[in-house]
Amino acid sequence: MQPSLEKLRKFFRLEHSNRYADKAVIGGLANILNFWEGEARQDGLPEEIIQDVAQTLKDYASQTPETRAEALKALWKRIQQAVPEAVAETAKKTRPSKALVETTVAPVSPSEESGDETAVKPSAPAVSSPAFSKGKDSVTKRPIALNASLTVLSGVGPKNAAMLARLGLRTLGDMLYHFPRRYEDYTTLKPIRELRFGEQVTVIGTVSFTEARKTRDGKTHIFEVVIQDGTGGLRLTFFNQPWLINRIKSGDAIAVSGKIEQYLGRLVMNSPEWEPIEMENLVTNRIVPVYPLTQNVTQKWMRRLMHQVVTYWAPKLTDHLPEEIRQAAGVVDLGTALLQIHWPETQEQIRQARQRLAFDEIFLLQVGVLRQRRQWQDAPGRVFEAEPSWLAARLEALPFALTGAQQRALDAILQDLRSGKPMNRLLQGDVGSGKTIVAALVAALVAHHGAQSAVMAPTSILAEQHYRTFLNLLTGERGPLLPEQVRLLVGDTPEQEKEEIRAGLESGDIKIVLGTHALLEEPVVFADLQFIVVDEQHRFGVEQRAALRAKGAHPHCLVMTATPIPRSLALTLYGDLDLTILDELPPGRQPIPTYLLRPQERERAYSLIRSQVRAGHQAYIVYPLIEESEHSDLLAATQEHERLQQEVFPDLRIGLLHGRMRPADKEEVMRAFRDREFDILVSTTVVEVGVDVPNATVMLIEGANRFGLAQLHQLRGRVGRGAAQSFCLLIPEREDVTENERLQAMVETNDGFVLAERDLQQRGPGEFLGIRQAGFVSSLKMASLSDTALIETARRQAITLFERDPELQAPENRLLAEALARFWRGGRGDIS
């Protein structure tokens, strides 16, 4: 062993014996650098090791004893790896001390949280070693240090840690997955004179002029800035940000990012993102990450912390994806991806990193839903056979023939019911496609075999609508059941009737119950619940559906939605469900012609409404807001209801419906509209999923550009439910958005699935998700649910893995099992 390394080892052993009190050398361990660096270079030690030792020892005095211990362990291990003679000599002369023993590093997942493993407090990442945890049955090891509080970082005390916690950063592992929201690419800067209209660019310049003023009405504060770079000037305009007066001053060098626009023939940038320039960024001529921040946290400080954590830890992570899967998916290893996402050298590196991290999220999601599916199918399910004569009688008794899509859906469900495994199927179809009829036929079959069914809807009025449909199809002359065997249980049901229904369910006399959350209450007990239907399922939480399932012994489950869901989204969020699509409307249902009007053509819409009301029909007028605010000039439901009643339709009866009303009041308004007590219903989007009003023939949507396609399509589906021709009218808030692509798509097609795909591409998945999936998807930091190719690749790999090793017991899959457990930790198990 070289003399310099021998001396270093002695100092480290002495420090260990002193319990890392920094007393091995007078004045502190860092004082050995005065002579040690020269000796090390004379001994020919690698320069990177010399620099590593120097950096570690310079920070040594400021750390806790526990942190110092970990730092020296890590440093000695790196020396052993870089200088093999040190390993051989240490092994020959001494038995390795526990103070200098290290092992390999295990992975950390995207949802890494403070773990439950016990370990010494880990050190600051730039100088620390990994601490590990080994499960008693596992061959893998996990870095406990990544579960450490951020207070182990140099310069992060309790106050700064509290600030970082507002960003969701509590551990070193969180830092690795705190991705940049964008990048400043200083490698491709353009001078101001070369800017072109419509470009999305980053520009650097020096502030030469600032001016603050208000608009004439005094409602809008405008702050204008001019920056120059020697080739030209660019005017920046910031709206309602008066604090910038004290933040941006003449002479400041700033970087601004945004879209180049034009005003009075000059190029301008409105409301750009901006930040002060750090001169080192310009000198390095590189791509610089821009992180999400919170109050009192600067980009410079955040970058320093992230660089410290990422450059130390990312290369030390053991990838949880088996090599075979990585190669098949064509993605880089985890350590490389994390380094490249934070500190890329090229745009291609950013793309590769995003692809790998997005693949991780979708792949772990897919494996999880496949596991859910397997667990569900492992349970036994009651067999229900539909005798041909019984089924023929039921279909013959219907007042209409099933569509081809309804027949296919019924066949698939009947196959599920005779499989001996619990059905878990999603029935998806446009408003009016006949989902309720399919559910009613299945409930009749279950009742035929003596078992019970429960149908849960999100509102009382929708539950009542289903109840009437079930009574019409399954009782009296058409059906095999008595009216008293089909009951409705909602919050407003009188208590005496509730007791009667609960008794009938517990005895088994009642075969089908339709209701709302009231079905979940503790007193509701079933004699033999074997079939549950959850309508508009995205409006229920996981716990609510699980609670209904728990009232039976592995009941068959059918969830229904009228929202057309794109294939990529269905594969991702409903991978544990079998998917059936009703893609045909019943005979007689006419397409709804949709017209896009300019705001000044509103009177044309009012004329159509008047003519339809004179013909005995009704109309909806939907607004995006409840009340008008001083910050928005959008029309609002409450004010417009009053204006329409007094000025436009004084002779007509107009109702008002919005989300702030009490549930009972909302349902009373909808009942009144259904019963023709109102000619026009002014509403917000609360009417999106509502009662069936066949007499309504006009849907006028104001501020239509504020809605997504899925919402617009759902609203359009509120009309056209009767025999009369119906119409949908769209009025955007301003004339210049009448060319809006989404609104043009509504005019072009009535196909909900075409619109759903476009909406997913343009607005993301939020339009299709309820609270539980939206909450889950918000944890997907890199994956885009519109990336069908990535989703199908991840699903294909997940299926292959599951076929080979469903329990993830193979040694090469142990790390993956740990990552999967962490990703799905926290009650996110049943997402569909």
Side-chain angles (χ1 to χ4, degrees), residues 116-158:
D116 53 5
E117 300 90 352
T118 303
V120 297
K121 187 177 182 182
S123 63
V127 292
S128 70
S129 76
F132 304 95
S133 168
K134 185 174 181 180
K136 62 182 180 179
D137 297 322
S138 175
V139 299
T140 65
K141 301 175 182 68
R142 178 185 176 191
I144 294 177
L146 286 169
N147 295 329
S149 165
L150 297 182
T151 53
V152 302
L153 293 168
S154 175
V156 180

Side-chain angles (χ1 to χ4, degrees), residues 668-683:
E668 181 55 39
V669 170
M670 284 302 302
R671 284 193 182 92
F673 186 60
R674 180 193 64 193
D675 296 340
R676 302 193 184 190
E677 294 176 24
F678 297 125
D679 302 306
I680 300 171
L681 182 63
V682 172
S683 175

Side-chain angles (χ1 to χ4, degrees), residues 228-242:
Q228 294 183 330
D229 68 352
T231 71
L234 179 67
R235 183 174 293 272
L236 318 173
T237 305
F238 299 89
F239 299 96
N240 292 321
Q241 300 180 60

Side-chain angles (χ1 to χ4, degrees), residues 108-115 145-150 153 161 164-165 167-179 291 302 306 309-310 313 338 342 781 825:
V108 64
S109 84
S111 56
E112 188 66 62
E113 300 167 0
S114 296
L146 286 169
N147 295 329
S149 165
L150 297 182
L153 293 168
L164 292 170
L167 293 167
L169 303 177
R170 295 176 177 81
T171 68
L172 299 181
D174 292 336
M175 298 283 282
L176 286 177
Y177 288 88
H178 183 64
F179 301 132
Y291 290 99
M302 177 63 81
M306 295 302 299
V309 174
V310 173
W313 279 107
L338 288 172
H342 288 282
K781 298 179 180 181
R825 186 167 51 200

